[in-house]
Amino acid sequence: MKLNPIREFIIGSRLRNRFALFAVLLAVAPVLTLGGVSLFLIDLSHRQDVSQLELQLIDQKIEEIEKFFADTLGILEIRVGFEQKSEIERSQQEFVLEGLLAENRAFEEVSLVNLFGMETAKKMRFKEGAELLDVSRLEFFKKGASGSNFIGGVYYTLSGPMITLAAPVRNRNNDIIQVVSAEVNLSQITRVIEKARLGTVGYAVLVDRDGSVVAHGSNANVVSGTDLVRLSRVSAVLGGATLDALGEQDRYRSFFGGIDAIGAAKKVPGVGWAILAEWPINDADALIRDIRNEVTVLALFSILAVLLFAPFFAGRLIKPIRALEAGAREIARGNFEKLVVIKTGDELEDLGSTFNKMSKGLKRLKELQEEFVFIAAHDLRAPVTVIRGYISMLFGEEAEKLSPKAMDYLTQVNHGAERLAQLAQDLLVVARSEAGKISIKVLPISIADVIKAALVEVEPQARAKQIVLEYITAQNDDKVLADIERVKEVMANLLTNAVKYTQEGGSVKIFHETKDSSFITHVGDNGIGIPKAAQTEIFQKFYRVPSHRAHGVEGTGLGLFIVKQLVEKMGGKIWFKSEEGKGSTFSFSLRIYGSRTK
Amino acid sequence: MLIFASLAVTYFFVGASKIYMEEFAQASAPHIYADSEKSIGAIKIFAVYFVPRDKTEFTKEAWGKPIEAALEDLKKFHFLQLAGLSDIDYAIYPKPVIGLKEGIEYDTETTQGGNPRALLNISEELENRIFKPDGDLFMRAFVERKEGEYPVLAIIYEGVGAMGGIVHESELEDKREIAKEAGVPEELIHIVDIKSVDGFFLTNIFFLENKNSVFTHEFYHTLGIPDAYETPGFYDIPLGKDVMGAGRFGPIEKTYIEKNTLQQLGI
């Protein structure tokens, strides 16, 4: 079956496909392995880098928050220059508060409270004439009056997140004489958080100690004061844990915009707030993504390239092997002339040369064999003819002088000489045939005459075995194209075989058939037949059916081989049908004279 | 196949992130103070500038501007404090409502405690005149509100007072029994015949024109939030610094609502 070249290229041969697969594996495996390992290692190191960057950002923001509180709370820690355990003079209190407002822009309201909890002075940055209140019940006063600094919880105003700070006012003897409090705007801190960036879109989030959002740099619409304490990572950080972006849960779906992010978080010491750094994975892992894509593209490209080119290269590797295979097939057919041409410049070319030498050697061997057979057969004929001549003379004129015993011996010798002569004749025919020296003179002949002549020759043998020879001549008078002598040889061979392999009292029947342009002659017998296993070998040179040999039937094993050669050289065909124990029918066809061949 | 499997493993697993998913529990809509039955996810304020008939000469010419400014500020403040979980819509009655009575008749003999009598009397009058379809000042466009909105009446009074509260429906008629039922002191219970709103408050227009948060403070009473100060004597003693305590004296931009209070609102 002839395959389409493209299909043939795709399907290929087993060996070529193995070579191709091997090439694919060889090309892609290192890319994949190296790519995978590099990716893994780069990812490992990248995760560490991301974690470090996030923690650095958080630490930096914590530092800024701590500085903010140092600056604000530090200013509030007022120590007056007198020793009396009395409040600052009222006239001075306004002055002190104005100083505080001027000192730090984050202060929006400052007040001084006496130790009874009554505000004695109050200044607001954006409003004149603040009302003085009794703040004795408020926490900041209690703390301050007890000598501690107070940092309140963050509260959320339209001006931004704010916080209440308070501290005791002390005299030179360190006695508490008043409490100073301030409402502090945290805009400075929120700006710091909102501006914090990781990569291009990573951001920071500040939550107060209750878990509410103070500020964030995300684009998500999350308002200040949104409660995040229900998020496990926020509650964990407020509880004191540090999340380093390397944990199993540090890559998560963020509350801020629902994006996947890598997060680290730390608690701000002192105030109890927490800072979260979140870096959207898309941005943070851009490097890893690029490497992964490159590895994939490279591997795919390698696979495609190798799949495309490997069959070509594998095909080139296979070509010399194919040539050797074809050469071997020709040798098997007996053709030693065809040389194998391999020009690869490597061991395969050497193999091709050796193969050709082997072919030449085999050719020479065959020639020697044929020469030997020819010479042997030819040289055997002369002494055999002499032997047969003298025996013939002995059987003729001198027969009466010979004793019966000598006659018996001579009969055996004569029989042996005849067999030898037949063998020599057969070998000669075979040798001539193989040497192409058989001459065939194809002429229109009447095959019936040839058959009748052949029947005359085998009749004595048939009669001896009481075998009936029956010839049914053809109804028409067709002439066939054949060499009359060769047809005679063919018929003699087939009839001899038929008589030889038919038991006593059997029959041999010759009949014809015309089919298209062929004239077919059948030689059928009801003899011992040919076993099925031997039927494929029957036309082989020197082949003899083992069971026939066992029956003691003599033969050279060359008869049918010669018959086949002769029939085919005359342009015909030969075949047979046989059943062991029932007989055989050998048939050969010859071209009818005057017919047109197809 | 092996190559493609390796490629897939490399692509999808090596260096790929495993994402931890945490369910964000959706915050429920806030409700009035300590009562989760009454939602305040959406609030509608009906604002009316009310002038007793004997005080028409004091009617402000640009009365609408401070009311609108105060309501806008309140809207922003409320959205921020309730973390975006509650929103305020408002409607301002397009003209001053001139009372059918004189100021003294609304205020009665005492205006102490924020002038509760004025709030009750004016509310009942507005119920009949503005909210009832047969009222002489009824305007459908004004009284309309969306389903689920918590209705609040804001009276900007050309008179004294600052007072607000929730309108509770009760079958009882006795103040003592109602106080017992509501779990509040008897002096905080007033009987009023109003059906159109669930909360109402009154402030002098003066409080809108000065930098204080009394308007806001009184509004939050309509959500049931109590005062964060005590008045044992002449002076108030604040219990907190937010808008329900000391913060009401400061500008709205600087005040806030305490977290404890927000928790009681379901935030």
Side-chain angles (χ1 to χ4, degrees), chain A residues 174-190:
Chain A
N174 212 27
D175 298 319
I176 299 168
I177 55 169
Q178 272 183 290
V179 171
V180 62
S181 78
E183 301 308 316
V184 182
N185 195 314
L186 298 177
S187 300
Q188 201 176 320
I189 289 176
T190 58

Side-chain angles (χ1 to χ4, degrees), chain A residues 47 258 414 467 471 552 565-566:
Chain A
R47 282 173 191 248
N414 187 41
I467 290 170
Y471 176 38
Q565 298 291 313
L566 293 175

